[in-house]
Amino acid sequence: MKILIIEDDEVLVQMLKTGLGKEGYAVDYLTDGEAGERRLELHYMDYDLIILDLMLPKKDGAEICKNIRKKGITVPILILTAKADTEEKIHLLDEGADDYLVKPFAFPELLARMRAIIRRPAKMLAEELTVSDLMLNSLTQRVHRGAKEISLTLKEFRLLEYLMRHPNQVINRDQILDNLWDFDFSSFSNVVDVHIKNLRKKIGNNHSKMIETIRGVGYRLKGE
């Protein structure tokens, strides 16, 4: 799951980036409105959620929200605002925001609102995935092969979840990097291959061939 934060408070941005990273999210951030809107226009398909501050240099969050919705960009938007009055909240929702959070806020509330928004896409994502006898629950973040529970790191879990949402499809390395790592991560790194190797080992020898290497392209998770 990949998040774009557009916020000019560097202290808050770093807190959010660190906290969300610990929850397994890949995070990019920008600190001015014009750069944020430009990134969305060019790369909106890379992101699952936008955390957008209302008061930004060069262009405010409400204007960004309005502009990208006019262009048909439907990525969910969570607005951060210091204004708590009802009229402002109604205005933000009318401009295309999916939800808002009034500053200061508690980090667990931010996570809860993010989860609620992400559960709302037009095509609801399944919470429990099954491929062969491999089972993954995205809410509890638990993975089982048959009756045996498999312990994964957060990044391994997100990688397996991504593959299980696309069974029998060839997924290239760039797609994996775009969804699980931030914008500045080098595409020349072998980090994807390392995580695939570790995932195969943890899934078990009898199931290592579930994740096929498609030479020169990427990987495919074989389902029945």
Side-chain angles (χ1 to χ4, degrees):
M1 201 72 71
K2 194 167 184 178
I3 312 296
L4 175 63
I5 300 173
I6 307 174
E7 164 67 65
D8 66 330
D9 183 337
E10 289 274 7
V11 174
L12 177 58
V13 166
Q14 292 303 325
M15 183 273 288
L16 292 177
K17 185 174 173 66
T18 299
L20 292 172
K22 289 179 180 178
E23 295 294 324
Y25 296 101
V27 179
D28 291 336
Y29 73 90
L30 295 163
T31 56
D32 77 72
E34 286 185 356
E37 184 172 336
R38 190 160 54 248
R39 173 70 64 84
L40 284 172
E41 289 173 349
L42 297 173
H43 300 286
Y44 67 91
M45 293 187 68
D46 293 345
Y47 299 104
D48 300 285
L49 177 70
I50 311 303
I51 297 176
L52 178 62
D53 185 31
L54 196 60
M55 303 299 292
L56 290 165
K58 300 184 180 180
K59 187 171 289 190
D60 68 74
E63 187 179 356
I64 294 170
C65 188
K66 180 179 179 180
N67 290 345
I68 67 169
R69 291 303 190 228
K70 282 184 175 179
K71 293 175 181 177
I73 297 172
T74 59
V75 183
I77 296 174
L78 173 61
I79 294 278
L80 302 181
T81 176
K83 300 179 181 181
D85 58 281
T86 302
E87 286 187 10
E88 180 64 25
K89 294 173 182 176
I90 293 171
H91 174 66
L92 292 172
L93 294 172
D94 284 343
E95 294 291 11
D98 293 87
D99 200 356
Y100 55 84
L101 192 55
V102 177
K103 298 178 181 179
F105 55 84
F107 187 68
E109 182 180 2
L110 173 72
L111 291 176
R113 288 180 180 271
M114 287 173 53
R115 289 192 295 269
I117 292 172
I118 290 168
R119 286 198 297 267
R120 295 179 199 164
K123 182 179 179 182
M124 190 67 71
L125 295 179
E127 294 172 359
E128 192 163 277
L129 306 173
T130 302
V131 176
S132 185
D133 64 345
L134 194 61
M135 294 168 286
L136 178 149
N137 189 298
S138 61
L139 288 184
T140 63
Q141 295 192 358
R142 300 176 75 175
V143 177
H144 289 81
R145 191 195 76 181
K148 180 182 178 182
E149 185 167 358
I150 300 171
S151 178
L152 301 176
T153 66
L154 272 173
K155 195 64 79 175
E156 289 165 354
F157 179 88
R158 297 297 185 195
L159 174 56
L160 180 61
E161 180 183 17
Y162 185 62
L163 292 173
M164 290 181 72
R165 291 197 185 278
H166 303 85
N168 299 312
Q169 297 180 33
V170 178
I171 307 296
N172 64 49
R173 289 174 177 81
D174 285 342
Q175 287 175 294
I176 295 173
L177 285 170
D178 285 345
N179 278 272
L180 299 178
W181 278 270
D182 63 37
F183 192 81
D184 296 322
F185 201 88
S186 172
S187 61
F188 296 103
S189 169
N190 69 339
V191 67
V192 172
D193 307 284
V194 171
H195 278 77
I196 289 286
K197 179 181 178 181
N198 292 338
L199 201 51
R200 282 174 170 155
K201 188 181 299 184
K202 291 185 178 183
I203 288 174
N205 292 332
N206 293 335
H207 286 66
S208 61
K209 292 183 179 179
M210 283 184 71
I211 305 176
E212 295 182 305
T213 298
I214 310 301
R215 290 193 178 277
V217 182
Y219 302 96
R220 176 170 56 204
L221 181 70
K222 291 170 61 179
E224 295 181 346

